[in-house]
């Protein structure tokens, strides 16, 4: 590889910090998009022995919210759609709780909330195969597998979304996450293909366009396709600079 090409490729490392959103950053974005879940949301219009106040926001108390959803799921005659929502939200809260614990404790510590999130999402997918948000449930399940160190299963779960929900709103993001897992596994040709699916949607088709250009270039670079990788890097530099 020529010296200018090496310099260009090496200089692009400086962009990595700004172009590599992870599951944690994704969690922050999703939290901003959706209102805080409350048991009251599920209970409106449903008969229940549990006393629930519709306006209760739980004041950010994840533990209290988790307890409320758990109590709701113990009801034998609750609406199937509401039970599916409760399973999903309880899974989300467990996943978030596990992520917060990992940030404050040893990385090697057993992720009990993450394992519980996996259990809840799996129950939901099996019990309610026609639930309208199962593409999102699968995405969260993939997150849970990834954050508990089960990368191969996380990838297989993302592959399920591609196979069964090709028109999902977040399909570009799914392909990007697949690319990240494949790249980490040093499966560079497959990672290249995953990033290309995001790039094909264009700059306006996904917020992961620039990150995909960056990692697409590195996927080619790892395959010693030095000239080809420069095209992705130069496109990225044109947009960035």
């Amino acid at each position: 590889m020529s010296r200018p090409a090496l310099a260009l490729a090496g200089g692009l490392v400086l962009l990595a910090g700004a172009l590599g959103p992870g599951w944690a950053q994704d969690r922050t974005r999703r939290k901003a998009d959706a209102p805080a879940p409350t048991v009251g949301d599920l209970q409106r219009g449903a008969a229940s022995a549990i006393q629930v106040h519709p306006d209760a926001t739980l004041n950010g108390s994840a533990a209290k919210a988790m307890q409320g959803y758990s109590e709701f799921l113990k009801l034998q005659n609750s609406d199937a759609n509401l039970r599916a929502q409760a399973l999903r939200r309880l899974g989300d809260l467990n996943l978030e709780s596990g992520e917060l614990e990992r940030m404050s404790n040893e990385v090697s510590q057993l992720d009990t909330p993450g394992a519980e999130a996996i259990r809840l999402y799996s129950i939901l997918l099996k019990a309610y195969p026609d639930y309208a948000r199962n593409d999102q449930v699968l995405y969260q399940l993939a997150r849970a597998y990834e954050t508990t160190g089960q990368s191969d299963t996380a990838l297989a779960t993302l592959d399920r979304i591609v196979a069964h929900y090709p028109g999902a709103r977040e399909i570009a993001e799914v392909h990007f996450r697949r690319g990240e897992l494949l790249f980490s596994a040093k499966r560079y040709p497959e990672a290249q293909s995953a990033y290309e699916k995001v790039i094909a949607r264009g700059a306006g088709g996904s917020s992961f366009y620039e990150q995909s250009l960056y990692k697409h270039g590195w996927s080619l670079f790892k395959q010693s396709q030095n000239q080809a990788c420069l095209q992705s890097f130069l496109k990225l530099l044109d947009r960035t600079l």
Side-chain angles (χ1 to χ4, degrees), residues 2-38:
S2 65
R3 287 187 178 181
L6 280 172
L8 175 60
L12 284 162
V13 175
L14 298 176
L15 296 172
L19 297 174
W23 294 115
Q25 288 170 293
D26 172 68
R27 181 189 72 239
T28 301
R29 179 176 61 78
R30 287 173 178 271
K31 285 175 67 179
D33 291 344
T38 67

Side-chain angles (χ1 to χ4, degrees), residues 17 34 75 79 88 131-132 147 154 165 167 173 180 182 188 192 197:
L75 299 176
D79 180 85
R88 179 177 61 84
Y131 179 51
T147 56
Y165 302 95
E173 181 176 344
E180 296 290 87
L182 289 162
Y188 301 121
Q192 171 194 338
K197 288 180 172 62

Side-chain angles (χ1 to χ4, degrees), residues 72-75 78-87 128:
F72 176 83
L73 289 169
K74 292 178 183 178
L75 299 176
S78 54
D79 180 85
N81 186 57
L82 296 182
R83 289 184 66 82
Q85 291 185 49
L87 282 166
Y128 306 99

Side-chain angles (χ1 to χ4, degrees), residues 24-92:
Q25 288 170 293
D26 172 68
R27 181 189 72 239
T28 301
R29 179 176 61 78
R30 287 173 178 271
K31 285 175 67 179
D33 291 344
T38 67
V39 180
D41 292 336
L42 298 179
Q43 293 296 91
R44 291 188 185 93
S48 170
I50 304 174
Q51 296 299 317
V52 177
H53 300 285
D55 59 347
T57 61
L58 304 176
N59 298 319
S61 174
K64 186 174 180 181
M66 290 164 70
Q67 180 182 0
Y69 288 126
S70 295
E71 291 297 321
F72 176 83
L73 289 169
K74 292 178 183 178
L75 299 176
Q76 298 300 313
N77 298 316
S78 54
D79 180 85
N81 186 57
L82 296 182
R83 289 184 66 82
Q85 291 185 49
L87 282 166
R88 179 177 61 84
R89 290 179 173 179
L90 185 56
D92 291 347

Side-chain angles (χ1 to χ4, degrees), residues 208-225:
F208 292 87
Y209 178 78
E210 292 184 353
Q211 293 95 326
S212 295
L213 274 176
Y214 176 78
K215 295 302 288 287
H216 181 259
W218 274 112
S219 297
L220 290 167
F221 182 81
K222 291 290 189 178
Q223 298 174 70
S224 299
Q225 298 185 40

Side-chain angles (χ1 to χ4, degrees), residues 109-127:
Q109 181 175 330
L110 180 64
D111 183 3
T112 303
E116 177 64 7
I118 291 172
R119 187 186 73 85
L120 291 164
Y121 292 138
S122 298
I123 290 174
L124 170 52
L125 291 166
K126 183 176 180 179

